[in-house]
Amino acid sequence: LLVFGNACNIYCPHCYQSKNGDNLLRPAEIGRELRREFMGLYPYLSTLRILGGEPFAIVGFRELIEDAASTVRRPIISVSTNGTLIDEEWAERIVRLPFSNLTVSIDGGTPATYARLRRGADLDKVLANVERIQRWKQKLGSELPHLDSFFVVMRSNFREIPQYLDLMSANGFTDVSLQTMEVNNHNAGREPTLERDETIADAAEIRELHRIMQEVLPRNRRRFRMIRTSGMTSLFAAQGLDTSFLREE
């Protein structure tokens, strides 16, 4: 797992990372030395998981990817992204290298909710970028990268989980992850009302989320290779609700 910067081209109020523009690859001379160090590790990795910020917005990301591709032939690269910066050139590059998997964060089942929680991004444009990758996979006859999606579960979006799952299935995502929101000093400092506004703590809302999950999980497990959940077992158990259907273990 490599987090080499926290720069991002959009703003998400619930993002738990600091926003100070840190980048391990700057200044340039330090970046070159670190890249040489990293290249010595690539032959021994099964997966090189890269996180940001937004990796595609961070200076040095392209060079880091090229280093890995020139060092190993195996598809070891796995990236978590908001999906906004994947143009035609990047879509081809992602498939040709090839990446092993790409995780696209999508915190809504409708364009309006998505736009409110991922400010500066447009859901239709992100899904069009995903479609670019799907077209290149077809053109090159590649199963890779596997495309999966990540959804942060909050008070203002949990009722859209059914729509979100329909949308991800329709757009060819093979895996999805649903995780309750993490509140820390970084996002609470930027958004003082975040915990009050977006943490699911009300007993009635927890029961409503529980009903939704009980309904959608059995129906949707057939549509995806994997549906992962995180944080819901403790949330439901505190209300005396069944958690066995979640399979969080």
Side-chain angles (χ1 to χ4, degrees):
L1 177 64
L2 178 60
V3 182
F4 69 97
N6 58 32
C8 192
N9 62 315
I10 67 173
Y11 179 76
C12 305
H14 54 285
C15 180
Y16 57 83
Q17 292 185 319
S18 63
K19 298 294 180 184
N20 58 10
D22 274 356
N23 185 339
L24 289 177
L25 302 180
R26 283 203 315 245
E29 58 273 16
I30 293 177
R32 285 191 296 270
E33 186 58 35
L34 276 175
R35 284 171 50 204
R36 280 195 293 270
E37 297 267 351
F38 295 155
M39 288 177 72
L41 300 174
Y42 297 152
Y44 305 100
L45 300 181
S46 61
T47 302
L48 173 61
R49 179 71 168 166
I50 302 174
L51 308 179
E54 169 50 43
F56 290 89
I58 297 174
V59 173
F61 174 67
R62 181 184 295 267
E63 290 77 12
L64 194 78
I65 293 299
E66 295 295 343
D67 290 345
S70 67
T71 306
V72 295
R73 297 300 178 189
R74 293 174 291 111
I76 67 169
I77 301 165
S78 171
V79 173
S80 183
T81 175
N82 60 39
T84 59
L85 300 176
I86 300 173
D87 58 15
E88 197 69 26
E89 180 186 353
W90 261 120
E92 179 181 1
R93 192 184 213 64
I94 286 167
V95 179
R96 284 192 185 277
L97 282 177
F99 282 44
S100 61
N101 100 293
L102 197 76
T103 302
V104 184
S105 295
I106 297 176
D107 299 321
T110 64
T113 295
Y114 175 90
R116 181 173 50 77
L117 293 173
R118 298 197 152 259
R119 300 171 191 170
D122 180 281
L123 180 57
D124 291 335
K125 290 180 181 178
V126 169
L127 293 177
N129 292 344
V130 170
E131 176 58 26
R132 295 178 195 269
I133 297 172
Q134 301 284 31
R135 287 198 304 270
W136 275 105
K137 287 173 66 173
Q138 286 186 326
K139 184 174 182 178
L140 299 177
S142 175
E143 293 184 357
L144 300 175
H146 297 300
L147 295 172
D148 62 275
S149 177
F150 188 86
F151 183 105
V152 178
V153 180
M154 293 174 271
R155 289 186 70 202
S156 66
N157 70 358
F158 77 86
R159 295 176 182 87
E160 294 186 6
I161 289 174
Q163 295 155 282
Y164 162 77
L165 292 172
D166 288 343
L167 198 60
M168 296 304 95
S169 177
N171 283 273
F173 288 90
T174 60
D175 301 68
V176 294
S177 298
L178 301 157
Q179 180 175 311
T180 54
M181 183 182 68
E182 175 184 339
V183 178
N184 64 11
N185 292 336
H186 297 308
N187 53 15
R190 292 191 302 268
E191 301 283 338
T193 65
L194 178 68
E195 186 165 16
R196 182 194 69 199
D197 294 344
E198 291 289 9
T199 298
I200 302 172
D202 177 76
E205 289 183 335
I206 294 172
R207 289 194 296 271
E208 185 180 359
L209 173 60
H210 186 264
R211 287 194 299 271
I212 290 171
M213 297 303 292
Q214 278 190 314
E215 178 185 341
V216 301
L217 283 185
R219 184 175 74 244
N220 282 280
R221 289 198 193 278
R222 298 188 297 270
R223 303 165 81 183
F224 299 96
R225 292 191 317 171
M226 181 74 71
I227 299 178
R228 300 174 181 88
T229 66
S230 179
M232 294 189 196
T233 292
S234 57
L235 188 67
F236 296 157
Q239 298 295 318
L241 301 170
D242 173 50
T243 64
S244 59
F245 68 98
L246 292 171
R247 305 183 196 170
E248 284 196 357
E249 69 279 6

